[in-house]
Amino acid sequence: MANYTENIGVNYCGLIASKREWLYRPQPVNDIGIDAHMEFIDSSDKPKQLIALQIKTGVSYFKETKKDYVVFREINERQYNYWVMNSLPCIVVLYNPDNDLCIWEELSKNTIKRTKDGEGKGYYVNVPLKNIFIDDDTHDKFLS
């Protein structure tokens, strides 16, 4: 089965990153949790930040939308360890191609929660609706 939907999200994120002058490198091979890297280089050609992105595309990722956030539940033990132990900061990006809503959240021990009040086998992260990929606030957060 072709990954058309996935490619749409990866390419959309690349377009947005490029418009904000971030270098964007999709990972075109099979991955285990990183779909792209983006890097910011300042005007004097000094690297400022390198970030790993896990990109999820489709309306289905927005089915559990609350007042201020979307719950992203597709996290297993292997992914959790991969993201929180990665040498790069990792973020999840959720993209809805029906309305071009593209939001993100950091993937860290502080943001990823275990299901069933900490007793479950799965994990989830709440992705704030205000975390738009990439606006002025996001740009500054990524650089910090």
Side-chain angles (χ1 to χ4, degrees):
M1 180 173 167
N3 293 325
Y4 299 117
T5 302
E6 178 182 328
N7 289 338
I8 289 169
V10 170
N11 290 324
Y12 185 81
C13 288
L15 175 65
I16 299 302
S18 296
K19 285 182 176 182
R20 296 300 301 218
E21 299 182 353
W22 284 78
L23 300 175
Y24 185 82
R25 293 183 286 282
Q27 303 301 299
V29 296
N30 293 338
D31 67 88
I32 60 170
I34 300 300
D35 294 308
H37 292 99
M38 62 182 211
E39 182 173 17
F40 189 77
I41 308 294
D42 71 13
S43 58
S44 62
D45 289 337
K46 291 182 183 175
K48 290 296 213 181
Q49 184 60 277
L50 179 61
I51 300 172
L53 287 71
Q54 171 67 67
I55 302 165
K56 297 295 185 181
T57 304
V59 177
S60 64
Y61 291 105
F62 292 82
K63 66 183 175 198
E64 196 173 348
T65 299
K66 307 296 182 186
K67 180 181 176 187
D68 298 330
Y69 60 90
V70 175
V71 181
F72 171 60
R73 293 191 179 275
E74 293 188 22
I75 303 171
N76 61 36
E77 186 82 26
R78 178 188 55 80
Q79 291 168 315
Y80 172 82
N81 289 323
Y82 183 73
W83 293 326
V84 300
M85 296 172 67
N86 202 300
S87 59
L88 295 175
C90 298
I91 65 170
V92 62
V93 180
L94 304 180
Y95 173 58
N96 182 341
D98 284 0
N99 62 10
D100 283 339
L101 178 61
C102 194
I103 56 176
W104 68 278
E105 179 57 281
E106 178 184 9
L107 293 168
S108 70
K109 290 180 180 179
N110 294 331
T111 61
I112 302 173
K113 308 295 181 198
R114 191 178 284 274
T115 58
K116 296 185 181 176
D117 294 323
E119 303 296 322
K121 293 183 180 180
Y123 298 86
Y124 69 95
V125 62
N126 294 331
V127 182
L129 290 167
K130 68 179 182 172
N131 282 4
I132 302 298
F133 182 89
I134 303 171
D135 62 9
D136 290 340
D137 290 338
T138 298
H139 179 81
D140 292 343
K141 286 179 187 176
F142 287 166
L143 291 178
S144 66

